Amino acid sequence: MKRKFKLYGGLAVFLATVGLASCSGEQELPDGEGTMFLSTRVNSDVKVEDRRSAAEDELAASTIVWISNEEGVVRKYNSMSEVPPAGIKLMAGDYTVKAWAGKAEYASFTSRWFEGQEKVNITAGSKQSVEVVCKIANVVASVKYADEVDGYLTNYSLTVSHKGGMLTFEGKDERKGYFIMPEGVTSLDYVLTGTFEGQPFEKSGVIDNVEPAHEYVLNIYVEDREETPIGGGFISIVVDDSMVETTDEVLITAPPSITGNGFDINSTLAGASGSMGTREVYVCAAADLTQLKIQGLPGIEDFDFVTASESVISALAASGITKEVSYIEGAQVVKISFRDTYLNTLPNSEDAYEFIITATDGGEKTSTATLRLRISAAPVATNSVSNLSYTSATVSGTAIMDVESAGFEYRMKGKNDWTYVDGSASRTSFTKGQPFYARLADLQVMTTYEYRAVSGATADAPDGFKGEIMEFTTLNGPQLPNSGMESWVTSGKVLLPTGNAGNLFWDSGNHGSSTMSINVTGNATDKTHSGSYSARLKSQFVGVMGIGKFAAGNIFVGKYLLTDGTDGELGFGRPFDIPSDLKIRALRVWIHYTPGTANNKGAGNYVPQGTLDQGDIYIALFDGTDDSVSGTDKDGESYQGKYGCIIRTKSSKLKLLDKNAANVVAYGDYPITSGTSGSAMVQIEIPLEYNKSTHPTHIAVVCSASRYGDYFQGGEGSILYVDDFELIYERK
């Protein structure tokens, strides 16, 4: 039997999908905002027997979700556990939800890669469930031998490969091989080897026009030997092509979700003493809870609802704390009620009450949420921020009593003066217990602001009331993929700065140097700013018996196009979406540089013999592609319409980046003229100078251990470490 295999984003998904939306919260939304409840489903071709297996956990943890609109990516989640269980607040509009799961490798017997996307329209005040179906994106290969093959071949194996990697099926290996196809590659090569009558045997072929989600079975059998008596010609290989079948029967869940009924569990509930009423919290888990701990209740010792004795449960109920357990489509749902008989006894306090709820399920997955209550005689209370973006945020407050007017004051943290903005009531007036909002716009990117709810004069506050000061930090703009240099993969002999060789963003000159079994750029652990790796760029002579060239260690955003003799052609710049209201002000990066002494082998005298080498890092933004050079790269793809600048290092065709070229919007350069003091990496900042006001479409970042490496000059042994690239934005 075949069943679906889902990753649920939390209680909100269960409630939205089975008709209990009233339990997921009816909080008012600002004008123009809606809520998305997200789940993903993975169609897998491998059955996982143990529901709590390592394979399940790895797949759930690897799920990545991006939500984008016409201006670019607006939300990123690195696992389903990061998806807000109370739903994702989004402004009304059209969105594309993309999801990826698994591990992307060029060739693997174990790592599989899944992709999916859905389009959705969010309308004001709506609550919509979106399920993204992730289908296998690998090309799958397997081998099947006829029984009679053993009578003719011994020590046989079959290798399946493309330029990115290969897999070898030893003997009657029944495993499936999973391939991700490099850019521009549409075929798999295969070679069957073995021994026939004491002599080496080999038979090869090509599987053309392979497609993702297809399995190619290489059937190996023996033909009539009398008709094919020469050599091993009687061994035939026939390839069957079929869609990958979905057979997995495992249910994967995110950790337990904790949500408020009629309120956002992440916001602050406010009211005067004696007016809080009853509040309910729902906890949902795919596997029965093994712990449901509540801490911080005034007058009540910390307890665990799962393990508490009957006498403790009775005492809690008498105090006004109860639980109810039910099941929805196999999921356990626990309703915790904090009744008015308890909450209304809590006195006014300058400090907020915080009830910490911790839930652990049978799969040993844990979630924690805090129910925060501000009980005060103040007329308004400040709540948490929502709908945070690069240059705007929605702040909220609650009217603890009826007030005629309410709003907010905000300022950049560290400044003295406040700016006032009117609040927008969720109903027709600022009524006791109701929230109010304001949208703050024209904010600075990646900047911390303070805000507080304020109200007009009351009997107790004739000069008006100012609430608790809270803060938020606006989002940073989009960053370069693999900006921390953590992901690396080997394709053949070439070490690549990516986790998916079929989807390059960064590249290097390793494609040229690897022909001599040298990678001038590699991943390093001896010097890092954060994480496990940095990029290590080493300049050195690459050749045999003195025949070759000086190669600068380098890394760049773009693609190594081809090798022309001992020279290279490169495409600098990749498409990059910058929000329309932002501009990149600078690039920050952590570096450490050790220069070598120049021993020039190239023409000219850019680095005088015997002097210390220099490194270089520069950034360029383009508003279009460089179509002045036509050509086809090593993968058979045209240069046209792809790169901000085509680079040629061959002296007879020399073409380098011109910062004043017509398509260059902005440029910034940082020559590294001396070695780094000490052993630690240091941060540098490269400001951008803008040549024009058009909006960029492509970005290039280029790092070299030898500044004049394009001319094959510099110092052998120059080493440049780079780590943690960060684009610094500002509002246009």
Side-chain angles (χ1 to χ4, degrees), residues 164-205:
M166 68 179 182
L167 296 175
T168 299
F169 298 80
E170 298 285 355
K172 291 185 176 178
D173 189 340
E174 296 182 353
R175 292 179 297 173
K176 295 180 180 181
Y178 300 93
F179 294 86
I180 289 180
M181 306 305 293
E183 188 176 355
V185 177
T186 60
S187 63
L188 289 173
D189 300 317
Y190 63 84
V191 180
L192 173 66
T193 61
T195 301
F196 170 65
E197 296 183 347
Q199 299 298 316
F201 169 87
E202 181 176 304
K203 191 178 187 72
S204 61

Side-chain angles (χ1 to χ4, degrees), residues 278-283 288-294 303-310 312-327 332-339 357:
T278 295
R279 298 291 179 173
E280 297 170 341
V281 173
Y282 283 84
V283 181
D288 284 3
L289 294 174
T290 58
Q291 181 191 65
L292 183 52
K293 191 173 183 179
I294 302 180
F303 62 92
D304 183 347
F305 254 136
V306 174
T307 60
S309 65
E310 288 299 326
V312 170
I313 298 294
S314 297
L316 289 170
S319 298
I321 314 295
T322 63
K323 74 165 183 177
E324 297 176 30
V325 179
S326 59
Y327 289 86
Q332 185 185 53
V333 179
V334 180
K335 181 176 75 172
I336 305 171
S337 298
F338 301 93
R339 301 191 179 281
I357 303 169

Side-chain angles (χ1 to χ4, degrees), residues 139-140 162 179 181 185-189 206-214 216 239 241:
V139 172
V140 184
H162 54 47
F179 294 86
M181 306 305 293
V185 177
T186 60
S187 63
L188 289 173
D189 300 317
V206 178
I207 310 173
D208 290 316
N209 302 316
V210 296
E211 297 181 66
H214 281 242
Y216 299 89
V239 179
D241 171 11

Side-chain angles (χ1 to χ4, degrees), residues 58-77:
E58 289 176 8
L59 194 58
S62 71
T63 302
I64 299 170
V65 178
W66 286 13
I67 302 173
S68 59
N69 59 17
E70 61 181 8
E71 294 185 356
V73 179
V74 297
R75 299 285 190 277
K76 290 184 180 181
Y77 304 103

Side-chain angles (χ1 to χ4, degrees), residues 383-614:
N383 294 341
S384 58
V385 71
S386 64
N387 204 27
L388 193 60
S389 73
Y390 309 117
T391 60
S392 62
T394 298
V395 292
S396 64
T398 300
I400 297 177
M401 58 184 66
D402 293 347
V403 292
E404 293 184 1
S405 64
F408 301 90
E409 291 181 338
Y410 71 98
R411 66 185 178 187
M412 193 180 296
K413 190 171 183 178
K415 301 294 185 181
N416 293 322
D417 296 332
W418 293 89
T419 299
Y420 175 79
V421 59
D422 283 325
S424 174
S426 59
R427 306 238 170 130
T428 57
S429 62
F430 298 95
T431 306
K432 174 183 175 181
Q434 296 303 316
F436 56 94
Y437 305 88
R439 186 72 176 159
L440 308 183
D442 296 327
L443 305 177
Q444 296 296 324
V445 182
M446 197 63 179
T447 302
T448 300
Y449 287 85
E450 296 177 319
Y451 69 101
R452 61 189 179 192
V454 298
S455 69
T458 66
D460 295 329
D463 296 326
F465 175 80
K466 301 182 186 301
E468 175 190 9
I469 296 175
M470 300 181 73
E471 65 181 48
F472 64 86
T473 301
T474 51
L475 302 180
N476 202 356
Q479 296 298 314
L480 303 171
N482 199 25
S483 59
M485 296 289 112
E486 293 300 304
S487 297
W488 297 80
V489 68
T490 298
S491 172
K493 296 180 180 180
V494 184
L495 182 61
L496 300 172
T498 179
N500 179 1
N503 187 25
L504 277 175
F505 187 83
W506 295 89
D507 208 342
S508 75
N510 285 348
H511 298 269
S513 65
S514 65
T515 59
M516 297 294 179
S517 299
I518 294 175
N519 282 301
V520 294
T521 296
N523 53 346
T525 58
D526 55 322
K527 289 188 191 299
T528 62
H529 170 247
S530 69
S532 300
Y533 298 107
S534 64
R536 180 179 183 267
L537 290 49
K538 182 179 180 181
S539 297
Q540 54 194 298
F541 179 79
V542 177
V544 177
M545 299 180 67
I547 301 174
K549 280 193 174 181
F550 174 81
N554 63 84
I555 190 171
F556 58 88
V557 171
K559 182 180 181 181
Y560 186 97
L561 300 175
L562 58 82
T563 300
D564 184 3
T566 56
D567 300 280
E569 293 194 8
L570 318 172
F572 281 178
R574 293 282 191 180
F576 193 69
D577 291 329
I578 301 173
S580 59
D581 57 341
L582 299 184
K583 64 186 294 187
I584 299 175
R585 177 179 64 79
L587 169 69
R588 288 178 185 157
V589 59
W590 290 80
I591 70 166
H592 188 281
Y593 185 57
T594 303
T597 301
N599 181 19
N600 293 332
K601 299 182 184 298
N605 193 31
Y606 296 96
V607 187
Q609 192 89 1
T611 63
L612 289 179
D613 199 1
Q614 297 181 9

